Amino acid sequence: MTKTRKKNKKTASIFLFLLIVLVSVVAKNTGLFDGGAGKSTSVDQTIYFPSDKYPETAKHIKDAVAKGASPVCTIDRKGAEENRRQSLAGVATKKNYDRDEWPMAMCAEGGKGADIAYIKPADNRGAGSWIGNQLDKLPDGTRVEIVVK
């Protein structure tokens, strides 16, 4: 085999390898291999959640996202009741605590499989009110990234 043929074969192999890597990255980010549940990077808005005001809820959000929950909420107010029913199914109530859901029930990402944590009512309800005020004027379908600061 001539040097030129060997060089062309090596170049083709490198090109093929890079093409496979590129296709794999694109497929992962678009959800091609997981039925469309891939993590999209596009959001319409980002809000910064105040961990100093609501520390228990902030910790829950961080923990849930670290375990793989989405930091993005696609607003779906109509689906909130059903999402809440699914996410809290089988999770016992606990005296003097609320059951906090992440992703939240009002998010399309919420529902079955949501991460649940027991949070003191003042923290949980204050956090819910704060997020509700941030999202109040945004229409359903808006994708909001929630970053804990």
Side-chain angles (χ1 to χ4, degrees):
M1 194 179 275
T2 67
K3 280 188 174 185
T4 303
R5 280 188 98 188
K6 284 183 180 180
K7 187 175 181 181
N8 286 346
K9 193 172 182 179
K10 185 176 180 179
T11 302
S13 295
I14 292 170
F15 175 78
L16 184 59
F17 172 77
L18 292 174
L19 182 62
I20 290 169
V21 169
L22 176 64
V23 169
S24 297
V25 168
V26 169
K28 183 176 191 294
N29 287 333
T30 60
L32 183 64
F33 297 144
D34 59 6
K39 294 181 180 178
S40 173
T41 56
S42 67
V43 296
D44 301 308
Q45 188 165 336
T46 300
I47 62 171
Y48 296 90
F49 186 82
S51 60
D52 57 332
K53 288 186 179 183
Y54 311 106
E56 289 182 64
T57 302
K59 181 181 181 324
H60 180 219
I61 295 169
K62 281 183 172 182
D63 291 349
V65 170
K67 289 190 264 183
S70 178
V72 175
C73 171
T74 305
I75 300 173
D76 177 23
R77 293 175 183 91
K78 292 178 186 131
E81 187 176 326
E82 178 60 18
N83 281 350
R84 184 167 286 110
R85 186 188 69 72
Q86 288 180 9
S87 66
L88 297 178
V91 180
T93 59
K94 190 173 177 182
K95 189 175 179 168
N96 299 319
Y97 287 91
D98 283 353
R99 295 170 295 172
D100 185 47
E101 309 151 76
W102 190 267
M104 299 173 290
M106 70 170 293
C107 304
E109 297 79 6
K112 186 176 181 180
D115 192 87
I116 309 299
Y118 293 102
I119 307 255
K120 292 199 172 115
D123 190 293
N124 186 48
R125 295 172 195 180
S129 177
W130 185 90
I131 286 184
N133 286 327
Q134 304 302 306
L135 306 183
D136 187 46
K137 293 190 177 14
L138 300 176
D140 280 11
T142 302
R143 291 178 46 80
V144 180
E145 179 182 24
I146 300 168
V147 177
V148 176
K149 63 176 188 166

